[in-house]
Amino acid sequence: MTTSNTGSGDVDPAVREELARLRDSIDNIDAAVVHMLAERFKATQQVGHLKARHQLPPADPAREARQIERLRTLAENAKLDPAFAEKFLNFIIAEVIRHHERIAEDTVNGSTPLAN
């Protein structure tokens, strides 16, 4: 499968079909990633409420370090760049901590119900 060389920019229909198939797969994976992240954040919100009820700190550096090492190993095994995986997890962790800080503040101020 190659592009035509007519200079008109036309693409071989077989190439166009393969590209569409691959893009459909990417779109499905993106949707799955979004849904998995939504589920993850639902769970971390519950953790945030539990921490707030028991006056635990929003961040847990020891757990975060373990999770980063675990994810780096998973990434290596999956042939994914471990540095990328670590950056991705650090981004998620920062967002989770931000949520936990907000939940703790809202709990102290009485603007968020303690149960969740």
Side-chain angles (χ1 to χ4, degrees), residues 16 19 28 30 39 41 44-46 53 94 100 115:
R16 190 170 296 130
L19 185 59
N28 288 339
D30 288 347
E39 288 302 310
F41 277 100
T44 61
Q45 290 290 330
Q46 292 174 6
R53 282 194 304 271
H100 289 186

Side-chain angles (χ1 to χ4, degrees), residues 16-32:
R16 190 170 296 130
E17 185 177 316
E18 179 70 1
L19 185 59
R21 185 188 67 76
L22 291 168
R23 286 179 172 166
D24 284 346
S25 181
I26 290 167
D27 292 349
N28 288 339
I29 293 165
D30 288 347

Side-chain angles (χ1 to χ4, degrees), residues 75-102:
E76 288 172 6
N77 292 339
K79 307 295 188 249
L80 178 68
D81 178 6
F84 169 77
E86 182 174 345
K87 287 176 191 175
F88 182 70
L89 186 60
N90 279 328
F91 175 78
I92 291 171
I93 289 170
E95 188 67 9
V96 168
I97 291 169
R98 190 179 68 77
H99 290 179
H100 289 186
E101 289 169 343
R102 188 193 74 240

Side-chain angles (χ1 to χ4, degrees), residues 33-111:
V33 167
V34 166
H35 287 281
M36 293 299 296
L37 284 171
E39 288 302 310
R40 188 185 197 288
F41 277 100
K42 285 178 190 175
T44 61
Q45 290 290 330
Q46 292 174 6
V47 168
H49 286 282
L50 183 62
K51 285 180 171 184
R53 282 194 304 271
H54 297 280
Q55 294 86 44
L56 296 170
D60 184 344
R63 171 157 167 81
E64 294 156 20
R66 287 190 309 272
Q67 286 297 95
I68 288 168
E69 281 308 308
R70 180 177 162 269
L71 193 70
R72 286 184 67 90
T73 300
L74 288 170
E76 288 172 6
N77 292 339
K79 307 295 188 249
L80 178 68
D81 178 6
F84 169 77
E86 182 174 345
K87 287 176 191 175
F88 182 70
L89 186 60
N90 279 328
F91 175 78
I92 291 171
I93 289 170
E95 188 67 9
V96 168
I97 291 169
R98 190 179 68 77
H99 290 179
H100 289 186
E101 289 169 343
R102 188 193 74 240
I103 291 167
E105 181 179 312
D106 290 348
T107 299
V108 167
N109 294 332
S111 58

